[in-house]
Structures are given as structure tokens and as C-alpha cells.
Amino acid sequence: MRGSIYQKKTNKKWYPYIYDKETNKKKWGTGHTSKRDAEIELRQMLSQFDTGTVVFGRADRYEAILNEFIETVVPEKYKSMNEQKSCSYMLRKHTEPFFKTRVDKITSKDIQRLLHNMRIFKSKAEPEVIPSAATKKKLYNYMNALFQSANDWGQVSINPCEGITLKSPVQVTPDTWSSDDVNYFLSLDEVHQSDCYLGFLILATTGLSRSEAAGLQWKDFHGDYFILEQGKDVYMNSTNLKTSFRRRKVEIMPSVRAALEAHRERQDRISKMLVSAPDINTWILTDDFNQPFHPDRYTKTFKRIIENNNKNSLRKLPVIPLKNLRHTFATLLINDDVNIKIVQEALGHSKTSTTQNFYQGAAQKSMHRTAVLNLQNEIFKVSVENPVEKIKKA
């Protein structure tokens, strides 16, 4: 490895550079008015090359690296089509207009400023808003993956995302229903008459996500439980589950098993009536033609039924999104003093800490209630099974 200094005639500045005799590639430094300053930087560049912290050769512009990342890395790194589209969209929307330079010129300060100044539009009619900490964290994760790939390709010497400071996303306990709310909803005539009934029943009683429920196949059904293997995204593609922990055994209530078996008989009857009968031994949640439902259909139907009930009935239901049926299932288990490890396994979380952090409010209430009942046992020396009667006798 050799180095030298060159004085540019147009601005009279001195530029240090290092070069490889075999490949004839050069790495240029910055311009200096003083030759001595250029010599100092040259020595630093040679030292950095020896330690492997300098990129040799001219790096591509950020736009070229972004295109390469989206084309070759994103499909391999993110198995879900939703995640692939989210990554591509966010990087193009927020970073491509911001970084109009070579990728090796982007610093941690530039990334910090991008995240600080980040704005989003919800609609054309609404003003721009500051995105949540969770949205910024998501963009940061995508950028981190991109610059790590650029580092692996030799385009940058270090990943500029390292050392970035971000505000931690606020963990908000989701709104959920009580057991009475779930029972009331499932007993509504509009729910029973809907072809989405079985899907709602499964979501409310198993803790599955919408994608997991939509991806259920009859080969996953084993009488008293499912063995979860795949999901289905909004593009009707079968997808891998987020983590290996999501591939799990899901227990089924006897009433749900009965509904599943009745639905399979219905599929069989429909198949016999159809001229071109789809294979009924594939998807569980299907329409009147044994075709799998689009996941969005459950979301829209769920929202419509709640709106109709609250408009026409004295018994109101708290307005929650469909995904909160999963959170309701978890919260009811925790409030029933079910061990947090069991709840974690039911939801497919990788750690019990994830479950505890997400359902912190419900877990604290449950533990508080348990603690009070245990203390009652110590004070009055009675069993908690029939405390009122035994306390009166005392």
C-alpha cells in the first residue's frame, strides 16, 4: 500500500490519497490549504488501512446502495411480504430524498438529524405530524440493516447507525374486552350469521393473530389443538411465522372443536355441490365456495358489527381493533392468575419478559389481587375458598 499528495490546480488545495499498485484503485482524502495538514491525514489514512477501518476505492452513491439492498437483501432478510414492502417503502420515502451523496459520506450525525426531523402525512387533508418513537425505531432498524450490508460489501468502513440515540417507544397496554364482552359479542345474531363467525371464535379463544388464523390448514388441526406452521398475509401469500417461537401448539376449547368439525362438514357439503370443487383439505377458514378468506375481511366485518351493535343496542361494546382479541385472550388469562410462562407459550413470545412488559398493567393487577388474598389467609388463618363465611365465624 502506498500513498502520496496531490495539489489540485483549480483551488490550489492539497489532497492525500492511498493507492494499490495491483488494482490501481485509489482512496482520496479531503482537501487542505496546507501541505503539512495533508501529510498528517495521509499518515492517518495509511494507519486506518492497516487496521482495516478504511474503505478502499470510491464508494457508490446512497441511491445505488439502497436499490441493491432492496433488490437482493430485503427478500432474504424479511420473509413476510408485508415486512418487505414496509422496509422498501420507509427507506425510499424517508431516506432517499435526504441522502443525496456517496454512502461513505453519511455519518451518525446525518442519521440522527434525519430521525429528529422526520415527519409523516396521514392524508392530504391533514397536516404533517411527528411520528411515534416506535415508527422512528422501525426506520432506524431498516437503516441499520442497510448500512450493515454496505459495510459487508466494503462500501463503508463502519456502520454509521452505531451510537445513535433514540427515545424508547412507550409501551401502552392495549384496550381489551372483559369476558362478558367476549361472550356478548359471540352471542350476537349478526356474528352467528356472518361467515366470519368461526374466525372470530378462534381469535377470541386461542390468542392467534389474524395472519396466523388465516393461515390455518386442516393438517394443522389435531382435535384438541393446532400445530401452527404458517400464516397468510394481506397479499394472500403463505408466510413464515415471525420467530421459531410462533411455531407452537395451540390448545382448543371443546366448543371451538365442535364448531371446527361442523365447519368441515359444511365444507364437504359445499364441495359436493360445486362443479369444480376446491380441495377442502387445505384451508380451515373459507367462504361459501371453500375459498380462503382475505385477512382484511375479518377486520372490516369486526368493525362493522361493533358499530351496528353500538348504534342499535343499549348494551354497548368497547371499540377495539380486531388484533385486540389476541390481547383480550392474554389479559383474561393473566387476570385469572395463569402462570406467565403459560401465557408466553400460548402467544408465541420468545421471552416471558416480552409478555410481562406488554401486559404490564394486567399482570400487576392480577399479582396485586393474588397478594391481597394471600395476605388475608395469613391474617385470618383461613382458606381463600370461602373467606367471608370463615371470617364471620372468626
Side-chain angles (χ1 to χ4, degrees):
M1 177 55 54
R2 296 187 179 184
S4 185
I5 296 173
Y6 169 78
Q7 187 179 34
K8 198 172 183 179
K9 294 181 179 179
T10 55
N11 59 11
K12 303 300 182 182
K13 287 188 175 182
W14 295 91
Y15 291 85
Y17 67 91
I18 56 177
Y19 64 93
D20 187 343
K21 290 179 64 177
E22 295 182 2
T23 62
N24 203 30
K25 289 185 177 181
K26 295 180 180 180
K27 173 67 179 179
W28 290 87
T30 55
H32 299 273
T33 56
S34 164
K35 183 178 180 180
R36 176 179 172 80
D37 290 339
E39 290 174 340
I40 293 174
E41 184 180 354
L42 175 60
R43 289 194 292 271
Q44 292 173 343
M45 291 172 66
L46 289 169
S47 176
Q48 288 174 336
F49 179 82
D50 291 338
T51 58
T53 58
V54 66
V55 178
F56 196 73
R58 187 173 293 277
D60 290 328
R61 295 183 66 82
Y62 175 79
E63 181 182 1
I65 297 299
L66 174 60
N67 291 334
E68 184 70 17
F69 176 74
I70 290 175
E71 181 180 347
T72 63
V73 178
V74 169
E76 298 299 326
K77 184 175 180 62
Y78 305 107
K79 302 303 181 183
S80 164
M81 185 65 69
N82 285 345
E83 193 73 9
Q84 292 176 23
K85 288 185 175 292
S86 173
C87 177
S88 302
Y89 172 78
M90 292 190 73
L91 287 175
R92 290 202 182 281
K93 178 178 176 61
H94 296 291
T95 69
E96 193 170 19
F98 194 84
F99 296 132
K100 297 293 186 180
T101 185
R102 281 168 38 187
V103 69
D104 63 333
K105 296 294 184 181
I106 299 172
T107 65
S108 297
K109 182 179 178 181
D110 297 327
I111 296 174
Q112 189 82 63
R113 184 158 295 281
L114 165 64
L115 294 168
H116 176 72
N117 295 330
M118 189 177 167
R119 297 291 186 275
I120 57 176
F121 290 89
K122 288 192 174 181
S123 69
K124 293 182 179 179
E126 297 180 20
E128 62 180 9
V129 296
I130 300 175
S132 66
T135 301
K136 290 186 177 183
K137 178 68 174 177
K138 192 171 188 178
L139 177 61
Y140 166 79
N141 289 338
Y142 292 149
M143 285 194 292
N144 185 51
L146 183 150
F147 281 107
Q148 186 57 54
S149 294
N151 179 257
D152 295 340
W153 297 334
Q155 296 290 339
V156 296
S157 58
I158 60 171
N159 183 345
C161 285
E162 296 177 359
I164 296 295
T165 301
L166 286 177
K167 184 184 294 184
S168 299
V170 177
Q171 192 70 60
V172 179
T173 302
D175 294 330
T176 57
W177 279 350
S178 67
S179 56
D180 288 340
D181 291 329
V182 175
N183 180 58
Y184 174 74
F185 172 79
L186 293 175
S187 67
L188 290 173
D189 289 339
E190 189 175 358
V191 174
H192 270 279
Q193 294 166 7
S194 169
D195 49 12
C196 294
Y197 170 73
L198 181 61
F200 293 147
L201 184 64
I202 291 174
L203 290 172
T205 59
T206 61
L208 295 184
S209 67
R210 185 184 73 168
S211 170
E212 292 169 341
L216 286 173
Q217 299 182 27
W218 284 115
K219 67 181 180 62
D220 306 325
F221 177 55
H222 299 275
D224 293 330
Y225 59 90
F226 294 124
I227 296 295
L228 215 58
E229 296 289 348
Q230 70 284 310
K232 186 180 287 292
D233 63 21
V234 295
Y235 305 99
M236 299 298 285
N237 296 319
S238 293
T239 62
N240 293 329
L241 301 176
K242 287 184 178 180
T243 66
S244 60
F245 294 94
R246 286 294 186 101
R247 297 184 182 91
R248 62 195 189 277
K249 180 180 178 181
V250 179
E251 297 292 341
I252 302 172
M253 298 178 184
S255 55
V256 179
R257 174 178 178 172
L260 282 162
E261 291 172 345
H263 180 67
R264 181 148 57 178
E265 292 176 3
R266 175 175 174 272
Q267 282 187 336
D268 194 16
R269 291 195 301 271
I270 293 173
S271 180
K272 291 177 181 178
M273 290 187 293
L274 295 176
V275 176
S276 177
D279 182 5
I280 65 165
N281 294 318
T282 304
W283 306 104
I284 291 181
L285 299 181
T286 55
D287 59 18
D288 291 338
F289 297 94
N290 285 356
Q291 296 293 337
F293 276 128
H294 192 289
D296 282 347
R297 185 167 179 177
Y298 287 98
T299 301
K300 294 175 181 178
T301 303
F302 184 73
K303 180 179 180 181
R304 186 186 71 245
I305 291 175
I306 294 176
E307 289 177 348
N308 290 343
N309 174 80
N310 290 353
K311 181 180 178 180
N312 302 316
S313 175
L314 294 176
R315 170 64 161 90
K316 308 300 181 185
L317 278 168
V319 178
I320 63 171
L322 179 68
K323 64 181 180 181
N324 284 23
L325 282 182
R326 170 176 165 86
H327 303 320
T328 294
F329 173 79
T331 302
L332 291 177
L333 288 181
I334 293 173
N335 286 339
D336 203 28
D337 293 332
V338 173
N339 187 288
I340 198 69
K341 179 66 176 177
I342 296 176
V343 181
Q344 171 221 335
E345 292 174 351
L347 298 178
H349 289 162
S350 58
K351 301 176 182 178
T352 54
S353 58
T354 303
T355 312
Q356 287 173 321
N357 291 339
F358 198 79
Y359 300 102
Q360 184 175 353
Q364 287 178 344
K365 291 176 184 176
S366 178
M367 288 186 288
H368 188 185
R369 177 63 178 168
T370 302
V372 169
L373 293 176
N374 288 340
L375 182 58
Q376 171 191 262
N377 187 33
E378 288 186 29
I379 294 175
F380 296 103
K381 309 299 181 185
V382 296
S383 168
V384 297
E385 293 177 1
N386 192 7
V388 176
E389 187 65 29
K390 293 188 178 181
I391 289 172
K392 284 182 179 178
K393 293 180 179 178

